[in-house]
Amino acid sequence: MTDFTRYLERDAPNRLNDKTCLVTGSSRGIGQAIALEFARAGAETVVNYRSSAEEAEAVVDAIEEYGGDAVAVQADVADRAEVAAMRDAVREEFGTIDVLVNNAGITVDRKFENMTREDWDRVIDVNLGGTFNCTKAFFKDIRETSHGRLINVSSVVGQQGNYGQANYATSKGGLFAFTRTIALELADSGSTANCVAPGFTQTDMLEKVPERVQDNIRGRIPLNRFATPEDLVGMVRFLASDESAYMTGQVLGINGGLEW
């Protein structure tokens, strides 16, 4: 007879109790939604921000009012010294982490013929360099916990390219190779690395795009709408949970049906 009890008596799926999760760039947008979702799932949550202290503290207040544990920690992810200081602050508050979500990112959009090296470097330094800095700072934590989770937030633009975004597309495409490589290097520890590639999402970044361009983009999406941050967080929560233990090195598109 099938032993149903081993399924029925497991903990509820995708719970993050007893896990400490750090989300970079989580004072607003997609990062904020991920931080709130992690807290809702029972995690101790670190809300990282670069300059939006008031917004970050508002996220922490909301989590604490819900009954969760959270702390806001400032660090520019492109600055290795600030990332090291963030690691020390997190360890003082919660100890080592179990989950790192590299979400922080910026855009500086221009056609390539008008793009300066400074425009290029600024985006690469944050979107790729920041991912390196944070992963390097917390790599030992993720590896040694045996159920560690590295989750990189990329973009459909990294898969398809996008007019006027050579720097951004390159930075987001680079996360695919980085994720796969780190997954291989973590595999013998049991910890995992995966990547999500959201489609066009209703955030401050999208609001800067002219309305006519938004209409054109929306028309290419089979579901005929932009994502909301809430559309993305369930998959990220799954990747952070024990339920995803046999998934690593993957890029998961959450994009309303866009092909790549």
Side-chain angles (χ1 to χ4, degrees):
M1 175 181 286
T2 301
D3 181 10
F4 294 113
T5 59
R6 71 187 183 96
Y7 292 99
L8 296 174
E9 292 180 356
R10 292 186 304 170
D11 291 338
N14 300 341
R15 294 296 299 174
L16 302 177
N17 304 82
D18 303 320
K19 295 186 187 296
T20 299
C21 305
L22 189 159
V23 185
T24 68
S26 52
S27 63
R28 55 188 177 181
I30 293 172
Q32 179 190 99
I34 293 170
L36 292 170
E37 182 69 9
F38 281 179
R40 191 174 74 89
E44 296 175 331
T45 307
V46 181
V47 178
N48 161 255
Y49 68 97
R50 181 179 66 85
S51 57
S52 304
E54 186 174 344
E55 291 91 336
E57 291 296 347
V59 176
V60 170
D61 289 345
I63 290 171
E64 290 178 341
E65 288 176 13
Y66 179 74
D69 292 322
V71 63
V73 182
Q74 189 280 332
D76 179 348
V77 297
D79 187 314
R80 283 179 292 175
E82 291 191 13
V83 171
M86 174 172 67
R87 178 194 58 208
D88 293 343
V90 171
R91 285 182 175 167
E92 183 174 345
E93 182 73 22
F94 289 134
T96 57
I97 69 167
D98 303 283
V99 179
L100 171 63
V101 180
N102 285 310
N103 167 76
I106 64 169
T107 58
V108 180
D109 296 345
R110 287 183 181 84
K111 289 196 301 182
F112 184 74
E113 62 182 329
N114 298 325
M115 186 175 291
T116 66
R117 182 55 191 257
E118 289 73 22
D119 298 332
W120 176 271
D121 288 345
R122 184 179 171 198
V123 172
I124 297 297
D125 284 350
V126 173
N127 298 4
L128 265 183
T131 295
F132 173 89
N133 291 340
C134 292
T135 305
K136 190 74 169 178
F138 292 98
F139 187 79
K140 185 176 180 181
D141 290 7
I142 294 167
R143 181 177 181 82
E144 292 188 355
T145 187
S146 80
H147 55 263
R149 301 286 185 265
L150 174 67
I151 304 167
N152 294 318
V153 179
S154 181
S155 169
V156 69
V157 172
Q159 299 168 319
Q160 296 184 333
N162 200 39
Y163 188 92
Q165 290 194 309
N167 48 6
Y168 183 75
T170 300
S171 72
K172 291 301 186 178
L175 290 178
F176 304 150
F178 180 78
T179 300
R180 178 61 179 166
T181 300
I182 299 302
L184 294 172
E185 295 187 12
L186 284 173
D188 64 353
S189 72
S191 294
T192 65
N194 289 288
C195 185
V196 293
F200 296 93
T201 305
Q202 293 173 347
T203 63
D204 294 347
M205 199 174 286
L206 185 63
E207 288 177 2
K208 299 175 184 176
V209 176
E211 190 65 34
R212 62 178 178 78
V213 178
Q214 290 191 36
D215 291 341
N216 179 267
I217 295 170
R218 191 184 296 108
R220 293 162 36 210
I221 302 171
L223 287 181
N224 196 35
R225 69 175 178 87
F226 297 127
T228 66
E230 290 72 25
D231 288 322
L232 313 176
V233 297
M235 181 59 70
V236 180
R237 184 188 68 244
F238 166 73
L239 292 176
S241 74
D242 292 342
E243 300 292 308
S244 69
Y246 200 60
M247 177 181 287
T248 195
Q250 304 304 304
V251 177
L252 304 176
I254 314 171
N255 58 32
L258 286 169
E259 295 185 19
W260 66 287

